[in-house]
Amino acid sequence: MIYAEVIGDPIGHSKSPAIHGFWLKALGISAEYRAVHVTPEELPAYFESRRADPEWRGCNITIPHKQAALQLAEDRGGLRDTIGAVNTVIRDGETLIGTNTDAGGFYAPIAGLELEGAHAVVIGAGGAARAILFALSKLGIGRVTVMNRNVLKAAALLSSFGLKGDAVPLGSPLPPAGLVVNASALGMAGQPPLVIDLSPLPEDALVYDIVYAPLETDLLAQARARELDTVDGLDMLVGQAALAFELFFGAEPPRDRDEELRAILTS
């Protein structure tokens, strides 16, 4: 039976098997989607073993492998010079091809917003942050503040995407930005909390947290207490999964059943 997977370290929190499993069942496709715990040391051997298995259609990639996997797959889309990370690997014969559906998944929930010239804050500077900064660079964002433990890394990211803005340490006061995105693992179950004060944000600001375990993060709870607009991690997760599903299984997922899927994922 053909199958695809999601890999990461840790991986127990992943909702990807439930998402892809729901779509496979809905479409009557005979295939499986599995979660596999892969440590950084095991990553090269994982890809070599899957390369030899013709039933394997590919994998989604989560923390902490998004940048390392770029060195282990063919880069036909020029990701090294753009996003600098992969979150999906697919097979073409015995060739492994890296791609990234995070940027599209991030963009989908905010596609109707007018962000040209706006000020955005992005928390984190890892693989997900790279995809988000890439998306923001295409939206004509005016200014970006990147908050990260390593300020030099954050500044280098801004420069690599040609974005105007600044890099500041975690814990710095927020500017009065129109968009705040948590692109880090802070606030995720088992990870340190994200300590931040949203009071400097204007009333029309949007707060977007890519963390989905828990779905109601402290960041989103604080934003909702202020009656700010919010986007939770399931929106991006389902959006990027839909793009990957079509690559793995050659069929469009039934997005008209998103409400039913969300109910399953939050039960």
Side-chain angles (χ1 to χ4, degrees), residues 107-127:
Y107 172 69
I110 59 172
L113 299 182
E114 180 53 62
L115 293 174
E116 187 170 355
H119 187 172
V121 174
V122 175
I123 302 163

Side-chain angles (χ1 to χ4, degrees), residues 160-179:
S160 68
F161 291 108
L163 290 164
K164 296 179 181 179
D166 56 335
V168 299
L170 280 173
S172 300
L174 278 176
L179 172 66

Side-chain angles (χ1 to χ4, degrees), residues 120-221:
V121 174
V122 175
I123 302 163
R130 286 176 170 271
I132 288 165
L133 289 170
F134 174 79
L136 292 177
S137 73
K138 300 301 180 184
L139 293 174
I141 203 82
R143 182 177 181 83
V144 179
T145 297
V146 180
M147 293 185 166
N148 195 51
R149 291 189 184 93
N150 187 329
V151 176
L152 291 178
K153 181 180 180 181
L157 274 186
L158 279 174
S159 177
S160 68
F161 291 108
L163 290 164
K164 296 179 181 179
D166 56 335
V168 299
L170 280 173
S172 300
L174 278 176
L179 172 66
V180 175
V181 184
N182 177 29
S184 75
L186 295 175
M188 181 187 295
Q191 299 294 324
L194 174 59
V195 179
I196 195 165
D197 177 14
L198 300 184
S199 61
L201 298 183
E203 293 181 357
D204 60 350
L206 171 68
V207 177
Y208 192 144
D209 197 338
I210 72 166
V211 170
Y212 58 85
L215 187 60
E216 177 73 358
T217 62
D218 289 342
L219 175 65
L220 293 182

Side-chain angles (χ1 to χ4, degrees), residues 55-92:
E55 299 298 304
W56 183 79
R57 291 295 180 265
C59 68
N60 290 122
I61 300 166
T62 187
I63 295 171
H65 302 316
K66 292 186 179 185
Q67 289 169 268
L70 185 56
Q71 311 307 317
L72 300 171
E74 188 171 309
D75 179 20
R76 295 183 181 176
L79 291 173
R80 284 183 180 85
D81 300 322
T82 54
I83 296 176
V86 301
N87 80 321
T88 304
V89 171
I90 58 174
R91 71 179 306 126
D92 181 8

